[in-house]
């Protein structure tokens, strides 16, 4: 097995094994009761449940995609908490894999994955050393098995955290791919769609435009430096970021409404 395959596989195995004990956990009397054991509204994916998921501000959050995954859990597992924990664990493991590929791309620096004559280069072939694989795997595992991840993975209520995280990292990766692919309109649209999915999973994903701004400075180097901050090229970059910023502002407004919903 080559390093290109072995590294993300190892990240997935270690992440899954580190959190495997959560399958023995149950629901806890800290929001799990209000969200699941005492809440029949999310149980299933029928018209009534979907209507509730897409209109509710339950406990001050607007997270319809998170509710939909939990409704699917109910269809699969009923009220067995092990299934809900398994879903959290699988989502977190998927995020760890995405973070690995994101780290690979960031560690590659400002160069595109295309050579100057337009021929695609494989980053693994471009470097004879195994250092990029180890470095990316270390970065992914530093994220995946850090103690700060425990609450998100082991607490069913925090489905919104692991789900939004997966969409969030995937959006950043798609945005980078839109640059690497040259005229990557498809990747750019994918980044926007993934950002919307992240926002519909948890509003804290609204920080993504700031991350993309940093990515444009480095590794893409399309802002600052020789390009400047308000040149024609820089303004084109800002134009690409405007839709992300608009979505973030909309999510911020919606989160304020969720905290103080209008009376029914």
């Amino acid at each position: 097995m080559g390093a290109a395959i072995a590294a993300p596989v190892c990240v997935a195995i270690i992440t899954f094994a580190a959190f495997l004990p959560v399958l023995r956990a149950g629901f806890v009397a800290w929001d799990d009761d209000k969200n699941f054991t005492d809440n029949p509204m999310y149980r299933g994916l029928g018209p009534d449940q979907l209507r509730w998921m897409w209109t509710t501000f339950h406990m001050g959050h607007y997270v319809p995609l998170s509710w939909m995954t939990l409704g699917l859990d109910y269809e699969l597992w009923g009220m067995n908490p092990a299934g809900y924990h398994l879903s959290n664990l699988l989502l977190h493991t998927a995020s760890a894999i995405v973070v690995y590929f994101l780290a690979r791309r960031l560690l590659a620096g400002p160069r595109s994955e295309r050579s100057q004559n337009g021929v695609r280069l494989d980053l693994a072939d471009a470097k004879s050393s195994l250092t990029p694989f180890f470095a990316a795997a270390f970065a992914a595992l530093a994220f995946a098995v850090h103690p700060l991840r425990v609450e998100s993975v082991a607490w069913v209520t925090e489905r919104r955290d692991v789900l939004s995280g997966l969409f969030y990292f995937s959006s950043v990766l798609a945005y980078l791919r839109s640059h690497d692919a040259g005229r990557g309109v498809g990747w750019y649209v994918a980044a926007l769609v993934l950002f919307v999915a992240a926002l519909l999973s948890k509003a804290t994903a609204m920080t993504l435009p700031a991350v993309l701004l940093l990515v444009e400075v480095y590794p893409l180097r399309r802002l600052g430096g020789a390009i400047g901050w308000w040149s024609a090229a820089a303004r084109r970059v800002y134009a690409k970021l405007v839709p992300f910023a608009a979505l973030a502002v909309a999510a911020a407004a919606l989160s304020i409404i969720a905290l103080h919903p209008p009376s029914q």
Side-chain angles (χ1 to χ4, degrees):
M1 183 185 297
I5 297 176
V9 168
C10 287
V11 167
I13 291 173
I14 293 172
T15 301
F16 191 87
F19 286 97
L20 195 58
V22 303
L23 299 185
R24 299 196 299 269
F27 295 117
V28 296
W30 188 23
D31 291 352
D32 280 358
D33 50 348
K34 300 180 181 69
N35 284 323
F36 311 117
T37 58
D38 298 336
N39 176 24
M41 300 305 296
Y42 84 96
R43 298 175 187 173
L45 292 172
D48 291 339
Q49 288 82 17
L50 290 173
R51 187 180 305 110
W52 180 83
M53 292 170 185
W54 283 88
T55 59
T56 186
F57 296 120
H58 184 67
M59 297 190 69
H61 297 278
Y62 184 71
V63 289
L65 286 189
S66 294
W67 281 120
M68 287 181 68
T69 66
L70 291 160
L72 177 61
D73 276 339
Y74 180 80
E75 294 283 4
L76 295 173
W77 323 107
M79 293 304 294
N80 182 355
Y84 294 73
H85 286 295
L86 177 61
S87 296
N88 273 20
L89 178 52
L90 290 174
L91 288 167
H92 181 60
T93 302
S95 290
I97 296 171
V98 174
V99 170
Y100 166 80
F101 287 106
L102 183 56
R104 281 277 317 275
R105 177 60 189 87
L106 293 174
L107 290 169
R111 296 187 61 181
S112 168
E113 289 184 11
R114 291 177 179 270
S115 65
Q116 293 182 353
N117 61 9
V119 178
R120 180 181 171 87
L121 296 176
D122 187 271
L123 293 176
D125 296 334
K127 297 177 181 289
S128 58
S129 172
L130 293 178
T131 300
F133 300 106
F134 288 131
F138 178 83
L141 288 173
F143 157 78
V145 301
H146 192 280
L148 285 175
R149 304 287 82 76
V150 173
E151 179 180 288
S152 298
V153 181
W155 185 19
V156 177
T157 284
E158 276 301 272
R159 169 65 55 81
R160 56 201 178 208
D161 202 35
V162 290
L163 185 64
S164 67
L166 176 59
F167 289 132
Y168 190 107
F169 295 128
S170 298
S171 180
V172 177
L173 185 58
Y175 188 86
L176 286 165
R177 292 296 298 132
S178 73
H179 166 72
D180 296 339
R183 294 177 298 175
V185 176
W187 283 108
Y188 177 78
V189 172
L192 274 173
V193 171
L194 288 164
F195 181 43
V196 171
L199 291 172
L200 292 175
S201 301
K202 190 174 183 181
T204 52
M206 70 179 72
T207 59
L208 187 135
V211 171
L212 296 184
L213 183 65
L214 293 175
V215 164
E216 287 289 358
V217 177
Y218 187 86
L220 299 185
R221 291 184 177 174
R222 297 194 294 192
L223 286 177
I227 293 176
W229 297 99
W230 201 245
S231 63
R235 290 196 295 272
R236 286 193 293 271
V237 170
Y238 294 134
K240 292 182 65 175
L241 294 177
V242 165
F244 291 92
L247 288 168
V249 170
L254 189 59
S255 66
I256 294 173
I257 295 173
L259 289 172
H260 306 284
S263 57
Q264 300 292 323

